[in-house]
RNA sequence: GCGCCCAUAGCUCAGCUGGAUAGAGCAACGGUUUUCUAAACCGUAGGUCUUAGGUUCGAAUCCUAAUGGGCGUACCA
């Protein structure tokens, strides 16, 4: 039972006793008191005035009096412009800190018996991961962690797009121009090597188009008739026919890519319980088509193609199976959705996919609902905005991308330079240093990407390096290191406070109030699938602690009970920072 | 054409289901270190919350429209 709940209940009683009226719990607005006023919890009195028939000030005073009388923790109140500010006793806040916040499991909810699947990353195997994928991976990983903290059993999966014409493009270019180059022979990471041939394909393709246009073909025809594209298409047909040579090439190049991805994932700190491969799933979904035809959800046109009419739902007619009986994107997604459900019987399934596919998922989910799939209501598209460069959209085939591996290396290198300038960890071993640079560099990157609401598009300027000061990951990591340093000096091991009757300073109280909000933030982040809430909360907390740290001494506190209490407060702050950052996939150092 | 999303300080972003005088960080300027880590802290300056209507005791927040930007509307994935 939180203090807010207690207050809300008593307000209901107050309204019924004082004004002989019933008030719904929903119309009671309780919020944090703004800093400039006395108190910690504020009740908005306007909704009560229609029962009291008095001014907001009078009403607030009456209810304030009632609350003060009936709730032990409410020690004082004031009413300003219709806002009833309540002061809660220091004993309450100290008890909160010592009995709740310092608890190991604080902010971790007990299991709710629900299973949720989070699909994220979903790379193509024809090129390395870029900044856009990084946002996807971090979001997916973080949302999975957040749901887990909220009591869900979480299954992280990756649907790898390992077939199709784009894969054949890199394969063909390698076959034509590769001269047998391998990751070993070139020293290139496998995914980068394959990506290189994807770019080469595109260059060659453009050359051939230009050539044909010069020979008098229209641009449109040239695009269809360029030899390389025809060869790539032929290769795709052979792949589908399981031509041994093509399959061998495909397997070899894919294995290079997977080795490369594995490194990137490890470096990023993300993982998956299961991989799905499109080469296994691309034929799925045809029985769903049959099912839909039987149920009359789909209809067949004369040419044999199968459609669904969604015009009544404000959408269009949508093709679900080609006339020649082959699958389209949505066909296999229908099949894969069924497969994923059959595999795990999850209550919810989240797709972390960019907002360019909003329409696709709207259609997909709607179709599954129309087919009467009971699990369709648990499907959710976590749509996030694209990462753009100042020059516009990133394009792999034109090579205008911010490569994930390079970016991470850059960040770590910058962390190293910055740390060396400060010269605080000179006596660290080489290994410890590397660990630290890694933590800081990636912390900066991850925080940068996660602090923004997923929905919003993100602008990334490669020329303007990501900050290490202010509203950043390293700022928070630094705060944590600072606290750990103090705790180490005091040889702090576990909760030591004994005195629950201290008088708190303004900043101490503010810190505890802030810490006690953590579980609310965690559940809000889950509800909205938004790590940004946590990022901004932890930043707020770190900022507040730094202010406290600067103004009030911990180790040199006026007496030992205050010192012990402040050590507990600092420890609770460090622990909460650590937990919050862990949900973002960011590690925090104990020294930096 | 139609549909979806976005618009807050010079820049990057917060602002919970409507609630008090719209907040941070960066950049700029000024200050703080014989005292627990200055990747910090304090201060100055910076806003018609894109615009116009509407709902309300109360709107950055909800509704309508306009403007600007992004995306989609493929027998690509």
């Amino acid at each position: 039972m939180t203090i807010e709940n207690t207050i809300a209940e008593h307000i209901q009683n107050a309204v019924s006793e004082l004004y002989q009226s019933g008030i719904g719990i929903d119309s009671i607005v309780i919020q944090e008191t703004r800093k400039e006023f006395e108190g910690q919890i504020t009740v908005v009195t306007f909704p009560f005035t229609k029962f009291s028939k008095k001014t907001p000030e009078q009403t607030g005073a009456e209810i304030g009096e009632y609350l003060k009388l009936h709730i032990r923790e409410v020690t004082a109140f004031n009413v300003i412009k219709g806002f009833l500010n309540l002061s809660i006793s220091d004993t309450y806040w100290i008890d909160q800190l010592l009995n709740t916040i310092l608890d190991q499991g604080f902010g971790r909810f007990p299991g709710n018996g629900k299973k949720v699947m989070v699909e994220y990353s979903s790379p193509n195997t024809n090129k390395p991961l870029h900044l856009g994928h990084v946002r996807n991976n971090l979001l997916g990983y973080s949302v999975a962690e957040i749901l887990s903290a909220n009591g869900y059993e979480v299954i992280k999966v990756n649907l790898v797009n390992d077939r199709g014409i784009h894969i054949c493009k890199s394969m063909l270019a390698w076959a034509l121009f590769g001269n047998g180059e391998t990751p070993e022979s070139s020293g290139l990471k496998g995914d980068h090597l394959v990506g290189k041939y994807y770019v080469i394909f595109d260059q060659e393709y453009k050359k051939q188009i230009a050539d044909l246009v010069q020979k008098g073909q229209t641009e449109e025809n040239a695009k269809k008739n360029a030899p390389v594209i025809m060869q790539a298409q032929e290769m795709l047909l052979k792949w589908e026919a399981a031509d041994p040579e093509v399959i061998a090439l495909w397997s070899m190049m894919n294995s290079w890519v997977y080795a490369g991805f594995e490194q990137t994932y490890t470096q990023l700190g993300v993982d998956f319980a299961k991989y799905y491969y499109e080469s296994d799933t691309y034929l799925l979904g045809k029985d769903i088509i049959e099912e839909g035809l039987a149920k009359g959800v789909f209809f067949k046109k004369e040419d044999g193609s199968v459609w669904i009419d969604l015009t009544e739902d404000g959408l269009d007619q949508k093709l679900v199976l080609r006339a020649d009986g082959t699958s389209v994107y949505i066909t296999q997604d229908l099949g894969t959705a069924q497969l994923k459900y059959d595999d795990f019987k999850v209550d919810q399934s989240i797709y972390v996919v960019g907002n360019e596919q909003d329409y696709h998922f709207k259609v997909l989910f709607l179709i599954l609902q129309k087919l009467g799939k009971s699990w369709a209501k648990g499907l959710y598209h976590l749509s996030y905005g694209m990462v753009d460069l100042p020059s516009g959209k990133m394009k792999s085939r034109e090579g205008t991308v911010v490569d994930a591996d390079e970016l991470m290396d850059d960040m770590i290198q910058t962390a190293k330079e910055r740390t060396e300038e400060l010269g605080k960890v000179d006596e660290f071993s080489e290994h410890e240093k590397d660990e630290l640079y890694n933590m800081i560099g990636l912390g900066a990157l991850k925080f940068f990407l996660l602090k923004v609401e997923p929905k919003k598009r993100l602008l990334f300027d490669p020329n303007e390096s990501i900050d290490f000061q202010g509203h950043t990951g390293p700022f928070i990591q630094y705060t944590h290191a600072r606290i750990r340093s103090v705790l180490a000096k005091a040889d702090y091991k576990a909760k030591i406070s004994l005195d629950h009757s201290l008088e708190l300073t303004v900043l101490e109280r503010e810190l505890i109030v802030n810490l006690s909000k953590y579980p609310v933030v965690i559940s809000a982040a889950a509800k909205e699938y938004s790590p940004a809430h946590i990022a901004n909360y932890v930043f707020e907390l770190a900022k507040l602690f730094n202010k406290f740290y600067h103004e009030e001494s911990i180790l040199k506190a006026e007496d030992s009970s205050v010192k012990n209490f402040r050590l507990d407060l600092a420890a609770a702050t460090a622990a909460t920072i650590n937990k919050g950052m862990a949900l973002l996939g960011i590690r925090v150092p104990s020294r930096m």
Side-chain angles (χ1 to χ4, degrees):
Chain A
M1 186 76 154
T2 64
I3 188 79
E4 283 86 357
N5 290 340
T6 310
I7 291 170
E9 261 180 28
H10 280 84
I11 288 174
Q12 287 187 304
N13 297 342
V15 170
S16 98
E17 275 181 41
L18 299 173
Y19 314 127
Q20 290 77 43
S21 310
I23 183 163
I25 201 102
D26 293 342
S27 40
I28 299 173
V29 179
I30 294 178
Q31 57 197 33
E32 231 181 305
T33 304
R34 293 179 68 118
K35 283 201 188 87
E36 54 269 42
F37 304 109
E38 188 78 19
Q40 295 87 50
I41 293 177
T42 291
V43 180
V44 183
T45 64
F46 295 102
F48 314 139
T49 53
K50 71 174 162 212
F51 302 116
S52 69
K53 308 272 193 304
K54 293 174 185 165
T55 65
E57 282 68 26
Q58 284 173 311
T59 313
E62 286 175 2
I63 291 178
E65 201 58 58
Y66 182 96
L67 294 178
K68 191 179 164 190
L69 198 68
H70 288 80
I71 304 176
R72 186 163 36 91
E73 290 83 1
V74 176
T75 54
F77 70 90
N78 62 83
V79 185
I80 297 165
K81 290 167 77 176
F83 293 86
L84 168 59
N85 303 319
L86 302 169
S87 295
I88 308 299
S89 73
D90 285 348
T91 321
Y92 171 79
W93 294 118
I94 293 169
D95 284 341
Q96 277 291 300
L97 177 72
L98 300 178
N99 299 327
T100 307
I101 298 169
L102 272 171
D103 200 84
Q104 270 290 321
F106 179 65
R108 236 192 139 82
F109 294 79
N112 61 13
K114 288 195 178 139
K115 264 198 222 176
V116 57
M117 177 180 282
V118 180
E119 178 196 304
Y120 68 103
S121 202
S122 317
N124 292 335
T125 58
N126 61 338
K127 58 188 184 213
L129 303 178
H130 59 63
L131 182 54
H133 296 111
V134 176
R135 186 178 199 190
N136 178 302
N137 279 283
L138 296 178
L139 262 177
Y141 177 85
S142 179
V143 164
E145 289 301 303
I146 291 166
L147 290 170
S148 165
N150 275 273
Y152 290 84
E153 182 189 336
V154 182
I155 300 151
K156 293 179 264 193
V157 305
N158 190 350
L159 174 58
V160 182
N161 188 335
D162 62 346
R163 65 164 285 281
I165 189 75
H166 50 294
I167 312 291
C168 292
K169 287 177 181 175
S170 346
M171 282 161 60
L172 181 72
W174 184 85
L176 291 176
F177 312 109
N179 295 319
E181 193 176 35
T182 66
E184 291 73 32
S185 75
S186 64
L188 276 175
K189 201 161 157 278
D191 49 339
H192 289 257
L193 178 65
V194 173
K196 175 177 141 187
Y197 285 98
Y198 186 58
V199 173
I200 289 176
F201 174 91
D202 197 59
Q203 289 165 348
E204 185 61 26
Y205 183 35
K206 285 206 171 115
K207 218 183 288 171
Q208 294 185 356
I209 292 172
D211 215 40
L212 292 175
V213 168
Q214 201 168 20
K215 285 180 184 155
Q217 293 207 17
T218 64
E219 173 107 16
E220 207 180 324
N221 283 335
K223 279 184 178 168
K224 282 185 205 150
N225 297 332
V228 282
I229 195 71
M230 293 174 74
Q231 282 172 276
Q233 271 153 0
E234 199 184 313
M235 195 178 243
L236 181 60
L237 287 176
K238 282 188 180 166
W239 182 91
E240 295 198 1
D243 178 282
E245 222 171 290
V246 172
I247 295 288
L249 177 61
W250 175 75
S251 305
M252 178 177 72
M253 290 182 74
N254 266 354
S255 74
W256 296 345
V257 173
Y258 293 140
F261 282 174
E262 212 40 55
Q263 270 186 47
T264 308
Y265 287 147
T266 304
Q267 177 74 298
L268 259 181
V270 302
D271 55 16
F272 305 94
K274 174 157 184 157
Y275 285 77
Y276 287 96
Y277 296 93
E278 218 186 277
S279 53
D280 296 329
T281 62
Y282 82 106
L283 293 175
L284 293 176
K286 301 215 181 152
D287 25 346
I288 293 191
I289 301 300
E290 290 307 317
E291 186 185 332
L293 280 169
K295 285 182 177 163
V297 175
F298 300 148
F299 67 92
K300 205 174 243 180
K301 290 195 175 170
E302 307 85 60
D303 64 357
S305 58
V306 181
W307 296 73
I308 185 165
D309 187 354
L310 297 170
T311 45
E312 276 179 22
D313 300 277
L315 304 173
D316 308 298
Q317 288 201 354
K318 183 90 186 164
L319 175 97
V320 294
L321 194 72
R322 292 193 185 102
D324 63 8
T326 57
S327 302
V328 289
Y329 181 34
I330 201 146
T331 323
Q332 43 176 298
D333 262 8
L334 287 166
T336 310
Q338 181 74 59
L339 175 68
K340 292 197 318 186
Y341 178 73
D342 291 342
D343 279 352
F344 294 98
K345 300 281 187 296
V346 290
D347 300 282
Q348 286 178 55
S349 190
I350 297 164
Y351 294 77
V352 183
V353 181
N355 63 9
E356 55 201 348
Q357 294 197 35
D358 285 357
Y359 185 74
H360 171 75
F361 281 102
K362 215 178 195 176
V363 171
L364 178 69
F365 297 164
L366 187 57
I367 291 178
L368 288 166
Q369 269 164 34
K370 283 185 182 291
L371 288 169
K373 304 288 179 191
S374 60
W375 41 269
K377 61 182 185 309
L379 302 174
Y380 180 78
H381 174 205
L382 173 48
S383 161
Y384 62 90
M386 297 286 103
V387 182
D388 291 319
L389 305 176
S391 54
K393 216 180 164 176
M394 290 190 277
K395 292 204 174 91
S396 295
R397 56 170 181 269
E398 290 170 18
T400 57
V401 286
V402 176
D403 177 75
D405 295 317
E406 279 174 33
L407 177 60
M408 287 192 282
D409 288 349
D410 281 357
M411 293 303 298
I412 292 166
Q413 182 59 31
T414 310
K416 179 180 172 170
E417 285 160 19
R418 181 87 184 109
T419 308
E420 280 171 356
E421 269 168 42
L422 295 171
K424 292 184 196 172
V425 292
D426 293 340
E427 78 285 9
F428 270 35
S429 72
E430 284 309 305
H431 175 73
E432 284 172 321
K433 282 183 186 169
D434 286 344
E435 276 281 288
L436 181 66
Y437 303 151
N438 223 286
M439 261 190 237
I440 299 174
L442 291 176
L445 175 63
K446 292 180 180 184
F447 194 86
F448 177 82
L449 292 172
L450 288 175
K451 73 177 179 188
V452 181
E453 209 50 51
K455 211 202 261 184
K456 300 208 175 172
R457 62 192 272 264
L458 205 67
L459 190 79
F460 179 80
D461 189 344
N463 301 319
E464 259 179 61
S465 57
I466 293 176
D467 272 318
F468 284 68
Q469 284 170 11
H471 192 184
T472 69
F475 170 89
I476 296 162
Q477 291 172 319
Y478 172 74
T479 309
H480 179 264
R482 232 180 182 187
I483 297 174
R484 292 292 298 272
S485 163
V486 173
L487 296 179
K489 283 211 166 77
D491 201 24
Y492 179 92
K493 294 276 188 300
K495 182 165 75 178
I496 46 177
S497 261
L498 298 169
D499 191 350
H500 288 217
S501 60
L502 293 168
E503 196 176 321
L504 297 176
T505 65
V506 173
L507 286 173
E508 288 168 342
R509 197 180 298 115
E510 227 179 288
L511 253 179
I512 301 178
V513 171
N514 211 278
L515 285 166
S516 67
K517 280 197 314 203
Y518 179 68
V520 181
V521 174
I522 298 307
S523 66
K527 214 168 284 171
E528 293 167 41
Y529 306 106
S530 173
H533 285 308
I534 297 176
N536 290 314
Y537 166 80
V538 176
F539 171 65
E540 208 62 44
L541 177 63
K543 210 161 43 126
L544 191 55
F545 183 86
N546 278 324
K547 191 183 172 87
F548 163 72
Y549 178 92
H550 188 258
E551 292 185 16
E552 290 163 25
S553 181
I554 298 168
L555 297 177
K556 290 180 185 152
E558 42 286 22
D559 63 63
S560 68
S561 64
V562 173
K563 175 178 160 183
N564 287 344
F565 165 75
R566 286 185 182 164
L567 282 167
D568 282 334
L569 182 56
T573 307
T576 306
I577 287 176
N578 192 348
K579 285 181 205 172
M581 291 292 264
L583 296 183
L584 304 177
I586 301 175
R587 295 186 297 150
V588 289
S590 46
R591 288 191 58 191
M592 69 183 271

